Amino acid sequence: MQFFFNRKPRGEITRFALFAAMLVVYLFIVPHVFSVYSISFPGYLLVIASSVAVAYILVKKTERAPDDARINEHALLMTMAFYTLPFLAGINYAFDLSRPATIKYLVTGTGKHSFEGYSEPEERKSEITSYYLHLLPADSIIAPPQWVEVGEEHYKKDLNPGCTNCIVLDRERRLSSVKAASAGLPDSVEATYHLLVLKTNALVARREFEQGVYNRFTKGDYLYSEAHHGLLGFSWHSYR
């Protein structure tokens, strides 16, 4: 019993629990909410800092005599300032029941580019990688992909065979056995060259994506880009 009554006051334990809960919310939950809106980490910090700064200015403006009631009210307002924008962002995302505008793309290629840069907020030199998908609007496809046989020179230059609005999706060198014309002569192996050609009336566009989206798609997949209006009017995108 003596140990029970000698423990820290309940208020300190409550404050520690609330502080730990705030760390969990801001380190894991809030970044996930803002990732829906494609906000970078510096942008995420700026959004939080701006809301707290506005609340601080309003609290200072309305400050009167520093009695206990006023101090408690200010503490409550400052605490709410930390959660107001994340709360609205979550509501805008979770309760958006509108039908999104969907555009279907064919992924014609993938790529990534690494370069040296400075990571924020530490400003340390590190390798930064950008991830790209090459997208073609699906409604611009005139005919499905077809294998077209071409000459060796044409194959090596990777030219669009036979049309100006063609995209070469793949290349293939095939080997086939050819029987000798005269008996007693050895059979020969002949190579043929083929390009997988897609006819379209649009151009491929290269778009940068986050690594999570990039890893979900490969060449030949279809990507559906959905633009959501948001319950409160803050638009966001999803990809499937």
Side-chain angles (χ1 to χ4, degrees):
M1 294 293 291
Q2 184 69 20
F3 172 76
F4 179 82
F5 287 108
N6 286 337
R7 289 190 305 175
K8 291 184 178 180
R10 181 177 297 178
E12 291 189 22
I13 297 175
T14 303
R15 283 195 293 272
F16 175 78
L18 290 175
F19 178 74
M22 186 179 72
L23 284 180
V24 171
V25 168
Y26 269 86
L27 291 178
F28 300 101
I29 299 176
V30 175
H32 175 70
V33 171
F34 278 102
S35 68
V36 174
Y37 301 94
S38 301
I39 298 178
S40 63
F41 185 73
Y44 154 69
L45 293 179
L46 180 63
V47 168
I48 300 301
S50 62
S51 62
V52 175
V54 169
Y56 180 79
I57 293 172
L58 293 177
V59 165
K60 282 293 183 183
K61 257 182 119 176
T62 59
E63 191 169 342
R64 301 286 188 275
D67 55 9
D68 290 342
R70 181 69 64 177
I71 291 174
N72 290 338
E73 180 185 346
H74 288 178
L76 176 63
L77 290 175
M78 291 302 298
T79 302
M80 291 176 61
F82 278 95
Y83 295 99
T84 300
L85 287 180
F87 174 77
L88 294 177
I91 291 294
N92 181 73
Y93 165 72
F95 296 96
D96 180 15
L97 302 179
S98 61
R99 172 177 285 183
T102 304
I103 302 178
K104 182 180 179 182
Y105 294 96
L106 173 66
V107 180
T108 62
T110 63
K112 55 184 179 180
H113 174 65
S114 298
F115 57 93
E116 285 191 348
Y118 292 90
S119 59
E120 298 182 7
E122 298 91 353
E123 289 294 329
R124 279 190 263 176
K125 195 173 183 180
S126 61
E127 186 178 82
I128 299 175
T129 304
S130 299
Y131 299 90
Y132 300 95
L133 295 177
H134 300 262
L135 302 178
L136 177 71
D139 58 4
S140 69
I141 298 175
I142 300 173
Q146 297 180 8
W147 285 102
V148 177
E149 185 174 350
V150 296
E152 182 179 2
E153 183 179 351
H154 198 98
Y155 172 85
K156 289 181 178 179
K157 291 183 178 180
D158 200 15
L159 300 174
N160 293 338
C163 65
T164 54
N165 291 335
C166 287
I167 298 172
V168 177
L169 301 179
D170 203 357
R171 296 148 46 103
E172 192 173 279
R173 181 176 179 267
R174 303 175 186 175
L175 298 176
S176 58
S177 178
V178 180
K179 287 188 177 183
S182 303
L185 295 177
D187 295 344
S188 62
V189 176
E190 186 179 83
T192 56
Y193 302 90
H194 299 261
L195 299 177
L196 183 61
V197 178
L198 179 69
K199 293 184 179 181
T200 176
N201 56 15
L203 298 177
V204 174
R206 189 184 75 164
R207 287 178 54 183
E208 184 176 357
F209 289 89
E210 295 180 356
Q211 185 179 4
V213 177
Y214 171 86
N215 290 337
R216 287 161 43 197
F217 298 95
T218 59
K219 185 177 179 179
D221 290 344
Y222 282 100
L223 179 147
Y224 295 84
S225 174
E226 297 181 338
H228 302 260
H229 182 265
L231 180 67
L232 303 178
F234 305 114
S235 61
W236 55 282
H237 289 78
S238 62
Y239 305 97
R240 58 180 178 86

